[in-house]
mmCIF file of all heavy atoms in Angstrom:
data_model
loop_
_atom_site.group_PDB
_atom_site.id
_atom_site.type_symbol
_atom_site.label_atom_id
_atom_site.label_comp_id
_atom_site.label_asym_id
_atom_site.label_seq_id
_atom_site.Cartn_x
_atom_site.Cartn_y
_atom_site.Cartn_z
ATOM 1 N N ILE C 1 0.844 -1.202 0.000
ATOM 2 C CA ILE C 1 0.000 0.000 0.000
ATOM 3 C C ILE C 1 0.876 1.248 0.000
ATOM 4 O O ILE C 1 0.683 2.174 -0.805
ATOM 5 C CB ILE C 1 -0.943 0.026 1.231
ATOM 6 C CG1 ILE C 1 -1.855 -1.188 1.272
ATOM 7 C CG2 ILE C 1 -1.786 1.308 1.223
ATOM 8 C CD1 ILE C 1 -2.620 -1.340 2.579
ATOM 9 N N SER C 2 1.867 1.276 0.904
ATOM 10 C CA SER C 2 2.739 2.451 1.029
ATOM 11 C C SER C 2 3.420 2.784 -0.289
ATOM 12 O O SER C 2 3.546 3.951 -0.662
ATOM 13 C CB SER C 2 3.813 2.202 2.106
ATOM 14 O OG SER C 2 3.216 1.919 3.340
ATOM 15 N N HIS C 3 3.843 1.758 -1.000
ATOM 16 C CA HIS C 3 4.601 1.960 -2.244
ATOM 17 C C HIS C 3 3.709 2.401 -3.403
ATOM 18 O O HIS C 3 4.110 3.262 -4.204
ATOM 19 C CB HIS C 3 5.323 0.666 -2.618
ATOM 20 C CG HIS C 3 6.165 0.779 -3.848
ATOM 21 N ND1 HIS C 3 7.469 1.213 -3.811
ATOM 22 C CD2 HIS C 3 5.887 0.532 -5.156
ATOM 23 C CE1 HIS C 3 7.959 1.232 -5.042
ATOM 24 N NE2 HIS C 3 7.026 0.816 -5.878
ATOM 25 N N PHE C 4 2.514 1.839 -3.495
ATOM 26 C CA PHE C 4 1.699 2.017 -4.703
ATOM 27 C C PHE C 4 0.564 3.033 -4.584
ATOM 28 O O PHE C 4 -0.010 3.422 -5.602
ATOM 29 C CB PHE C 4 1.111 0.662 -5.138
ATOM 30 C CG PHE C 4 2.120 -0.260 -5.742
ATOM 31 C CD1 PHE C 4 2.735 -1.243 -4.973
ATOM 32 C CD2 PHE C 4 2.472 -0.161 -7.080
ATOM 33 C CE1 PHE C 4 3.678 -2.101 -5.526
ATOM 34 C CE2 PHE C 4 3.411 -1.016 -7.649
ATOM 35 C CZ PHE C 4 4.020 -1.983 -6.872
ATOM 36 N N LYS C 5 0.239 3.469 -3.372
ATOM 37 C CA LYS C 5 -0.982 4.276 -3.208
ATOM 38 C C LYS C 5 -0.915 5.633 -3.906
ATOM 39 O O LYS C 5 -1.954 6.244 -4.174
ATOM 40 C CB LYS C 5 -1.302 4.461 -1.725
ATOM 41 C CG LYS C 5 -0.308 5.329 -0.974
ATOM 42 C CD LYS C 5 -0.781 5.556 0.454
ATOM 43 C CE LYS C 5 0.190 6.475 1.188
ATOM 44 N NZ LYS C 5 -0.284 6.780 2.541
ATOM 45 N N SER C 6 0.293 6.117 -4.211
ATOM 46 C CA SER C 6 0.401 7.415 -4.877
ATOM 47 C C SER C 6 0.026 7.347 -6.351
ATOM 48 O O SER C 6 -0.313 8.362 -6.967
ATOM 49 C CB SER C 6 1.814 7.983 -4.724
ATOM 50 O OG SER C 6 2.765 7.070 -5.231
ATOM 51 N N ASN C 7 0.067 6.137 -6.926
ATOM 52 C CA ASN C 7 -0.233 6.003 -8.358
ATOM 53 C C ASN C 7 -1.391 5.051 -8.669
ATOM 54 O O ASN C 7 -1.823 4.970 -9.820
ATOM 55 C CB ASN C 7 1.011 5.499 -9.103
ATOM 56 C CG ASN C 7 2.135 6.517 -9.078
ATOM 57 O OD1 ASN C 7 1.937 7.674 -9.398
ATOM 58 N ND2 ASN C 7 3.317 6.085 -8.656
ATOM 59 N N TYR C 8 -1.841 4.322 -7.677
ATOM 60 C CA TYR C 8 -2.889 3.318 -7.890
ATOM 61 C C TYR C 8 -3.940 3.422 -6.783
ATOM 62 O O TYR C 8 -3.671 3.942 -5.696
ATOM 63 C CB TYR C 8 -2.312 1.895 -7.864
ATOM 64 C CG TYR C 8 -1.359 1.595 -8.992
ATOM 65 C CD1 TYR C 8 -0.005 1.905 -8.877
ATOM 66 C CD2 TYR C 8 -1.808 0.990 -10.165
ATOM 67 C CE1 TYR C 8 0.883 1.623 -9.909
ATOM 68 C CE2 TYR C 8 -0.928 0.693 -11.200
ATOM 69 C CZ TYR C 8 0.416 1.019 -11.064
ATOM 70 O OH TYR C 8 1.293 0.732 -12.083
ATOM 71 N N ARG C 9 -5.120 2.908 -7.067
ATOM 72 C CA ARG C 9 -6.156 2.747 -6.039
ATOM 73 C C ARG C 9 -6.066 1.302 -5.540
ATOM 74 O O ARG C 9 -6.244 0.361 -6.316
ATOM 75 C CB ARG C 9 -7.539 3.023 -6.616
ATOM 76 C CG ARG C 9 -8.664 2.884 -5.581
ATOM 77 C CD ARG C 9 -10.024 3.068 -6.228
ATOM 78 N NE ARG C 9 -11.101 2.825 -5.279
ATOM 79 C CZ ARG C 9 -12.379 2.675 -5.626
ATOM 80 N NH1 ARG C 9 -12.737 2.784 -6.921
ATOM 81 N NH2 ARG C 9 -13.295 2.438 -4.715
ATOM 82 N N ILE C 10 -5.784 1.149 -4.269
ATOM 83 C CA ILE C 10 -5.577 -0.173 -3.690
ATOM 84 C C ILE C 10 -6.779 -0.558 -2.828
ATOM 85 O O ILE C 10 -7.135 0.153 -1.884
ATOM 86 C CB ILE C 10 -4.290 -0.206 -2.844
ATOM 87 C CG1 ILE C 10 -3.092 0.109 -3.751
ATOM 88 C CG2 ILE C 10 -4.107 -1.559 -2.186
ATOM 89 C CD1 ILE C 10 -1.822 0.378 -3.012
ATOM 90 N N ILE C 11 -7.391 -1.677 -3.165
ATOM 91 C CA ILE C 11 -8.566 -2.157 -2.433
ATOM 92 C C ILE C 11 -8.277 -3.562 -1.906
ATOM 93 O O ILE C 11 -7.862 -4.450 -2.661
ATOM 94 C CB ILE C 11 -9.816 -2.182 -3.335
ATOM 95 C CG1 ILE C 11 -10.079 -0.775 -3.907
ATOM 96 C CG2 ILE C 11 -11.034 -2.683 -2.560
ATOM 97 C CD1 ILE C 11 -11.227 -0.706 -4.888
ATOM 98 N N ILE C 12 -8.468 -3.737 -0.599
ATOM 99 C CA ILE C 12 -8.182 -5.034 0.034
ATOM 100 C C ILE C 12 -9.361 -5.420 0.922
ATOM 101 O O ILE C 12 -9.533 -4.879 2.013
ATOM 102 C CB ILE C 12 -6.901 -4.983 0.885
ATOM 103 C CG1 ILE C 12 -5.769 -4.268 0.138
ATOM 104 C CG2 ILE C 12 -6.475 -6.395 1.287
ATOM 105 C CD1 ILE C 12 -4.553 -3.975 0.994
ATOM 106 N N PRO C 13 -10.193 -6.363 0.487
ATOM 107 C CA PRO C 13 -11.303 -6.814 1.340
ATOM 108 C C PRO C 13 -10.825 -7.841 2.367
ATOM 109 O O PRO C 13 -9.943 -8.656 2.076
ATOM 110 C CB PRO C 13 -12.265 -7.457 0.343
ATOM 111 C CG PRO C 13 -11.381 -7.948 -0.767
ATOM 112 C CD PRO C 13 -10.209 -7.001 -0.841
ATOM 113 N N LEU C 14 -11.390 -7.781 3.551
ATOM 114 C CA LEU C 14 -11.140 -8.804 4.560
ATOM 115 C C LEU C 14 -12.056 -9.977 4.251
ATOM 116 O O LEU C 14 -13.281 -9.854 4.318
ATOM 117 C CB LEU C 14 -11.423 -8.251 5.962
ATOM 118 C CG LEU C 14 -11.175 -9.228 7.117
ATOM 119 C CD1 LEU C 14 -9.702 -9.596 7.229
ATOM 120 C CD2 LEU C 14 -11.682 -8.631 8.428
ATOM 121 N N MET C 15 -11.478 -11.110 3.895
ATOM 122 C CA MET C 15 -12.313 -12.274 3.558
ATOM 123 C C MET C 15 -12.862 -12.912 4.840
ATOM 124 O O MET C 15 -12.167 -12.991 5.853
ATOM 125 C CB MET C 15 -11.508 -13.274 2.724
ATOM 126 C CG MET C 15 -11.170 -12.736 1.353
ATOM 127 S SD MET C 15 -10.771 -14.017 0.129
ATOM 128 C CE MET C 15 -9.144 -14.519 0.660
ATOM 129 N N PRO C 16 -14.116 -13.399 4.808
ATOM 130 C CA PRO C 16 -14.795 -13.875 6.023
ATOM 131 C C PRO C 16 -14.403 -15.299 6.408
ATOM 132 O O PRO C 16 -15.263 -16.152 6.656
ATOM 133 C CB PRO C 16 -16.273 -13.788 5.623
ATOM 134 C CG PRO C 16 -16.258 -14.105 4.152
ATOM 135 C CD PRO C 16 -14.991 -13.478 3.620
ATOM 136 N N ILE C 17 -13.101 -15.553 6.456
ATOM 137 C CA ILE C 17 -12.591 -16.904 6.686
ATOM 138 C C ILE C 17 -13.050 -17.470 8.030
ATOM 139 O O ILE C 17 -13.360 -18.658 8.146
ATOM 140 C CB ILE C 17 -11.053 -16.902 6.579
ATOM 141 C CG1 ILE C 17 -10.642 -16.770 5.098
ATOM 142 C CG2 ILE C 17 -10.436 -18.154 7.187
ATOM 143 C CD1 ILE C 17 -9.188 -16.460 4.869
ATOM 144 N N HIS C 18 -13.134 -16.612 9.038
ATOM 145 C CA HIS C 18 -13.409 -17.105 10.394
ATOM 146 C C HIS C 18 -14.887 -17.113 10.769
ATOM 147 O O HIS C 18 -15.261 -17.697 11.777
ATOM 148 C CB HIS C 18 -12.645 -16.259 11.427
ATOM 149 C CG HIS C 18 -11.183 -16.192 11.149
ATOM 150 N ND1 HIS C 18 -10.449 -15.030 11.241
ATOM 151 C CD2 HIS C 18 -10.321 -17.149 10.745
ATOM 152 C CE1 HIS C 18 -9.197 -15.272 10.921
ATOM 153 N NE2 HIS C 18 -9.095 -16.543 10.603
ATOM 154 N N ASP C 19 -15.722 -16.442 9.966
ATOM 155 C CA ASP C 19 -17.120 -16.338 10.391
ATOM 156 C C ASP C 19 -18.133 -16.601 9.293
ATOM 157 O O ASP C 19 -19.321 -16.359 9.475
ATOM 158 C CB ASP C 19 -17.384 -14.958 11.010
ATOM 159 C CG ASP C 19 -16.895 -13.805 10.127
ATOM 160 O OD1 ASP C 19 -16.637 -14.042 8.931
ATOM 161 O OD2 ASP C 19 -16.770 -12.684 10.650
ATOM 162 N N MET C 20 -17.680 -17.106 8.131
ATOM 163 C CA MET C 20 -18.655 -17.423 7.090
ATOM 164 C C MET C 20 -19.419 -18.688 7.483
ATOM 165 O O MET C 20 -18.922 -19.495 8.293
ATOM 166 C CB MET C 20 -17.952 -17.597 5.735
ATOM 167 C CG MET C 20 -17.004 -18.779 5.635
ATOM 168 S SD MET C 20 -15.917 -18.699 4.170
ATOM 169 C CE MET C 20 -17.118 -18.564 2.856
ATOM 170 N N PRO C 21 -20.634 -18.874 6.972
ATOM 171 C CA PRO C 21 -21.380 -20.095 7.290
ATOM 172 C C PRO C 21 -20.537 -21.335 6.973
ATOM 173 O O PRO C 21 -19.903 -21.400 5.914
ATOM 174 C CB PRO C 21 -22.603 -20.003 6.368
ATOM 175 C CG PRO C 21 -22.777 -18.539 6.124
ATOM 176 C CD PRO C 21 -21.389 -17.966 6.087
ATOM 177 N N ILE C 22 -20.519 -22.284 7.885
ATOM 178 C CA ILE C 22 -19.633 -23.445 7.747
ATOM 179 C C ILE C 22 -19.888 -24.208 6.446
ATOM 180 O O ILE C 22 -18.952 -24.731 5.832
ATOM 181 C CB ILE C 22 -19.763 -24.385 8.978
ATOM 182 C CG1 ILE C 22 -18.677 -25.457 8.980
ATOM 183 C CG2 ILE C 22 -21.149 -24.998 9.059
ATOM 184 C CD1 ILE C 22 -17.290 -24.954 9.198
ATOM 185 N N LYS C 23 -21.136 -24.236 5.980
ATOM 186 C CA LYS C 23 -21.452 -24.935 4.722
ATOM 187 C C LYS C 23 -20.837 -24.238 3.517
ATOM 188 O O LYS C 23 -20.666 -24.853 2.466
ATOM 189 C CB LYS C 23 -22.973 -25.048 4.546
ATOM 190 C CG LYS C 23 -23.632 -26.026 5.508
ATOM 191 C CD LYS C 23 -25.123 -26.114 5.240
ATOM 192 C CE LYS C 23 -25.782 -27.097 6.196
ATOM 193 N NZ LYS C 23 -27.257 -27.174 5.973
ATOM 194 N N GLU C 24 -20.527 -22.960 3.663
ATOM 195 C CA GLU C 24 -19.947 -22.189 2.556
ATOM 196 C C GLU C 24 -18.434 -22.033 2.685
ATOM 197 O O GLU C 24 -17.803 -21.412 1.824
ATOM 198 C CB GLU C 24 -20.596 -20.797 2.503
ATOM 199 C CG GLU C 24 -22.090 -20.836 2.223
ATOM 200 C CD GLU C 24 -22.737 -19.465 2.389
ATOM 201 O OE1 GLU C 24 -21.994 -18.454 2.404
ATOM 202 O OE2 GLU C 24 -23.980 -19.416 2.507
ATOM 203 N N ALA C 25 -17.857 -22.586 3.745
ATOM 204 C CA ALA C 25 -16.432 -22.400 4.026
ATOM 205 C C ALA C 25 -15.586 -23.211 3.048
ATOM 206 O O ALA C 25 -15.379 -24.407 3.212
ATOM 207 C CB ALA C 25 -16.123 -22.807 5.468
ATOM 208 N N GLY C 26 -15.114 -22.545 2.012
ATOM 209 C CA GLY C 26 -14.299 -23.207 0.996
ATOM 210 C C GLY C 26 -13.975 -22.229 -0.112
ATOM 211 O O GLY C 26 -14.370 -21.053 -0.074
ATOM 212 N N CYS C 27 -13.253 -22.702 -1.099
ATOM 213 C CA CYS C 27 -12.847 -21.835 -2.221
ATOM 214 C C CYS C 27 -14.048 -21.246 -2.949
ATOM 215 O O CYS C 27 -14.039 -20.074 -3.332
ATOM 216 C CB CYS C 27 -11.982 -22.635 -3.199
ATOM 217 S SG CYS C 27 -10.412 -23.167 -2.498
ATOM 218 N N GLU C 28 -15.080 -22.042 -3.123
ATOM 219 C CA GLU C 28 -16.278 -21.574 -3.831
ATOM 220 C C GLU C 28 -16.948 -20.429 -3.068
ATOM 221 O O GLU C 28 -17.278 -19.386 -3.639
ATOM 222 C CB GLU C 28 -17.258 -22.728 -4.025
ATOM 223 C CG GLU C 28 -18.642 -22.350 -4.546
ATOM 224 C CD GLU C 28 -18.632 -21.794 -5.963
ATOM 225 O OE1 GLU C 28 -17.676 -22.078 -6.712
ATOM 226 O OE2 GLU C 28 -19.575 -21.066 -6.322
ATOM 227 N N GLY C 29 -17.154 -20.621 -1.767
ATOM 228 C CA GLY C 29 -17.808 -19.611 -0.946
ATOM 229 C C GLY C 29 -17.026 -18.305 -0.908
ATOM 230 O O GLY C 29 -17.603 -17.218 -0.955
ATOM 231 N N LEU C 30 -15.687 -18.413 -0.835
ATOM 232 C CA LEU C 30 -14.851 -17.215 -0.805
ATOM 233 C C LEU C 30 -14.865 -16.497 -2.153
ATOM 234 O O LEU C 30 -14.843 -15.262 -2.210
ATOM 235 C CB LEU C 30 -13.421 -17.582 -0.414
ATOM 236 C CG LEU C 30 -13.243 -18.018 1.045
ATOM 237 C CD1 LEU C 30 -11.845 -18.580 1.269
ATOM 238 C CD2 LEU C 30 -13.501 -16.862 2.009
ATOM 239 N N THR C 31 -14.927 -17.265 -3.245
ATOM 240 C CA THR C 31 -14.994 -16.647 -4.569
ATOM 241 C C THR C 31 -16.316 -15.894 -4.735
ATOM 242 O O THR C 31 -16.343 -14.776 -5.270
ATOM 243 C CB THR C 31 -14.840 -17.701 -5.676
ATOM 244 O OG1 THR C 31 -13.618 -18.414 -5.482
ATOM 245 C CG2 THR C 31 -14.825 -17.055 -7.053
ATOM 246 N N VAL C 32 -17.406 -16.485 -4.272
ATOM 247 C CA VAL C 32 -18.711 -15.815 -4.328
ATOM 248 C C VAL C 32 -18.666 -14.520 -3.517
ATOM 249 O O VAL C 32 -19.207 -13.490 -3.932
ATOM 250 C CB VAL C 32 -19.836 -16.750 -3.814
ATOM 251 C CG1 VAL C 32 -21.144 -15.977 -3.625
ATOM 252 C CG2 VAL C 32 -20.033 -17.919 -4.768
ATOM 253 N N PHE C 33 -17.993 -14.570 -2.360
ATOM 254 C CA PHE C 33 -17.845 -13.368 -1.529
ATOM 255 C C PHE C 33 -17.133 -12.257 -2.314
ATOM 256 O O PHE C 33 -17.565 -11.098 -2.299
ATOM 257 C CB PHE C 33 -17.057 -13.698 -0.256
ATOM 258 C CG PHE C 33 -16.706 -12.490 0.577
ATOM 259 C CD1 PHE C 33 -17.602 -11.970 1.490
ATOM 260 C CD2 PHE C 33 -15.462 -11.870 0.429
ATOM 261 C CE1 PHE C 33 -17.279 -10.840 2.239
ATOM 262 C CE2 PHE C 33 -15.139 -10.745 1.173
ATOM 263 C CZ PHE C 33 -16.042 -10.229 2.085
ATOM 264 N N ILE C 34 -16.055 -12.600 -3.008
ATOM 265 C CA ILE C 34 -15.309 -11.610 -3.791
ATOM 266 C C ILE C 34 -16.155 -11.115 -4.969
ATOM 267 O O ILE C 34 -16.162 -9.913 -5.282
ATOM 268 C CB ILE C 34 -13.967 -12.182 -4.277
ATOM 269 C CG1 ILE C 34 -13.054 -12.493 -3.078
ATOM 270 C CG2 ILE C 34 -13.269 -11.223 -5.244
ATOM 271 C CD1 ILE C 34 -12.743 -11.300 -2.191
ATOM 272 N N GLU C 35 -16.902 -12.017 -5.595
ATOM 273 C CA GLU C 35 -17.807 -11.594 -6.681
ATOM 274 C C GLU C 35 -18.812 -10.558 -6.171
ATOM 275 O O GLU C 35 -19.038 -9.532 -6.826
ATOM 276 C CB GLU C 35 -18.542 -12.810 -7.251
ATOM 277 C CG GLU C 35 -17.663 -13.733 -8.073
ATOM 278 C CD GLU C 35 -18.376 -15.009 -8.496
ATOM 279 O OE1 GLU C 35 -19.265 -15.480 -7.753
ATOM 280 O OE2 GLU C 35 -18.038 -15.537 -9.561
#
């Protein structure tokens, strides 16, 4: 962030790894979250 923020817009979402519904806890569920 420190290096690139002067020339780029940096967006970093916190993925719900610790609190997403257990049935959705996996690569598919995390991809849907990012979508």
